[in-house]
Amino acid sequence: RNQYTYLSLIVGLFILTTLTAAQAQNKANNPGVQYVMVNFAGTPTTLNVNKAILRYNKDFALSFHTDDGFADVFTLGFAFFTGINSAGTNYPGLFYTDGCGNDISFKLSNSVFSYSGYNNTDMHQPGNGFGTVTWPQLSVMYENGCSVNNHGFTSDAFTEPDYMKYSIRRNESFIRRRLLNVTPSGVKTRIFVNPNGATPYTNVAFAEGYRSSLRMGASGIIPEIGLDVGTLNNWNQPLELNRTLGETVNVQQMADQFATAATTGKHLWMPIFTHRIVEDYPQASFLADFNYIATTYGKNGSDNIWMTTEEEIIDYQIVRQLTTINYALTGNTAIVTL
């Protein structure tokens, strides 16, 4: 690649280190990387350094999550994407690279409600017989780069103001308690997924400190054709974001269209979701869609997709826009300060 692309990639690789996993839990630490030094084989005649719009300087992004905490997000989705298998599975995993020869697996998220309002039971307690993902399984997913989203405390979607506030707060605290072993003070959810797509939850979630909410039809920021990420000027604000249902859209065609749009300078992203991968997507289509995407746009194809969680995409965009870069060239050495 040329020197311009190389430096865009370098800055894209290092910029997110200012937001480590611990810092993402609202701890204010100094940046992990404050400057980048690049030594060229020869002295460049010109130098232009830009922040990569998508991490690893990828052309387009997709994200995938499931709602309601069904077990197959772990037993099928997580194993298929990451290659980290549990009993009965032997998936090799789906990968892209960081541009420096390191494999990175596809990631996914899960939007969970924690409690059954019908029989007053923890929905994710191992052995409860509900067919849901368990807290130990969610721990493994989180520890391997996947995200947990807040979907309200129960499956009820009552829109009475006090109930909505309670439902959001209670589920957040319940998740933190159950995942206390994963990270200091527990996993703090930062993305809210509106139960039943109920619009009134959006502003309540924002008032509770959530950086974004997800619901179908919220096309003000992400249209049905996807968001050109570089055109959104302020990521550091509450964002109500659209998503599309995996079983109602041609996912392979969407990836093809996003890759084509990149040739015109666009960097598109769309969140995709389902409820049950096995029954709703359904499984055969899910496997075929993402095998195609990995083969075509992953490490063994053009290697130009960023397939990760909504949380990582939003985190990267916030840090990208809030980070100021300066650079200088002395001989064949470039110094980029963050």
Side-chain angles (χ1 to χ4, degrees):
R1 291 187 172 188
N2 60 34
Q3 293 167 346
Y4 167 82
T5 303
Y6 178 70
L7 273 183
S8 293
L9 174 60
I10 289 293
V11 176
L13 284 172
F14 279 94
I15 191 171
L16 196 65
T17 60
T18 62
L19 187 69
T20 65
Q23 290 165 330
Q25 299 296 319
N26 284 345
K27 293 185 177 180
N29 296 322
N30 291 326
V33 173
Q34 294 175 320
Y35 69 91
V36 178
M37 179 182 292
V38 181
N39 292 314
F40 294 100
T43 302
T45 55
T46 60
L47 177 68
N48 188 14
V49 181
N50 291 284
K51 294 177 284 186
I53 292 177
L54 298 178
R55 198 177 186 190
Y56 310 117
N57 211 31
K58 298 303 184 182
D59 287 341
F60 68 97
L62 292 175
S63 55
F64 179 79
H65 62 277
T66 66
D67 280 1
D68 298 343
F70 291 104
D72 58 18
V73 69
F74 180 81
T75 57
L76 175 59
F78 175 73
F80 178 57
F81 274 14
T82 66
I84 300 172
N85 290 275
S86 54
T89 60
N90 189 30
Y91 295 110
L94 307 178
F95 300 90
Y96 55 90
T97 79
D98 63 2
C100 297
N102 301 302
D103 290 352
I104 302 175
S105 73
F106 284 23
K107 302 293 194 302
L108 74 167
S109 310
N110 189 229
S111 308
V112 300
F113 62 89
S114 298
Y115 212 70
S116 169
Y118 296 103
N119 53 16
N120 298 321
T121 304
D122 181 343
M123 289 293 296
H124 307 290
Q125 192 68 25
N128 64 13
F130 290 164
T132 52
V133 63
T134 67
W135 295 116
Q137 291 170 339
L138 286 169
S139 295
V140 172
M141 291 179 63
Y142 188 86
E143 289 167 343
N144 286 279
C146 298
S147 294
V148 180
N149 301 328
N150 189 338
H151 201 32
F153 189 50
T154 73
S155 60
D156 298 321
F158 304 134
T159 55
E160 195 274 327
D162 286 343
Y163 177 84
M164 290 189 290
K165 181 184 296 186
Y166 163 79
S167 181
I168 293 170
R169 286 183 174 181
R170 188 69 181 93
N171 199 41
E172 179 178 322
S173 65
F174 203 89
I175 291 170
R176 291 182 76 168
R177 180 184 177 89
R178 291 301 191 220
L179 298 182
L180 195 61
N181 63 305
V182 179
T183 189
S185 78
V187 173
K188 186 174 182 180
T189 52
R190 289 295 84 202
I191 292 180
F192 186 77
V193 178
N194 297 31
N196 292 348
T199 304
Y201 276 86
T202 297
N203 287 333
V204 180
F206 292 163
E208 293 301 317
Y210 281 78
R211 63 166 62 110
S212 60
S213 69
L214 294 172
R215 68 174 182 85
M216 286 186 69
S219 56
I221 294 174
I222 302 183
E224 298 300 328
I225 59 172
L227 169 65
D228 185 1
V229 172
T231 64
L232 183 57
N233 295 322
N234 186 3
W235 286 86
N236 191 34
Q237 62 175 325
L239 302 171
E240 185 182 51
L241 302 176
N242 195 8
R243 58 181 185 160
T244 190
L245 193 60
E247 52 264 36
T248 64
V249 66
N250 188 324
V251 175
Q252 295 183 32
Q253 185 180 74
M254 176 184 291
D256 291 341
Q257 291 171 343
F258 284 12
T260 300
T263 64
T264 65
K266 296 181 178 180
H267 297 83
L268 296 175
W269 166 49
M270 173 60 81
I272 303 167
F273 83 104
T274 191
H275 289 84
R276 294 168 296 186
I277 298 172
V278 173
E279 298 179 32
D280 295 331
Y281 197 111
Q283 179 175 338
S285 297
F286 172 76
L287 297 178
D289 285 348
F290 287 99
N291 268 325
Y292 170 82
I293 289 170
T295 300
T296 309
Y297 303 112
K299 64 171 289 189
N300 295 320
S302 53
D303 198 20
N304 59 343
I305 186 174
W306 187 23
M307 181 72 210
T308 188
T309 65
E310 292 85 10
E311 188 165 18
E312 185 178 9
I313 290 171
I314 294 167
D315 282 349
Y316 179 82
Q317 296 308 318
I318 292 172
V319 176
R320 177 178 69 85
Q321 290 199 333
L322 293 181
T323 301
T324 300
I325 62 170
N326 295 286
Y327 57 92
L329 179 65
T330 303
N332 67 336
T333 299
I335 298 292
V336 182
T337 59
L338 309 177

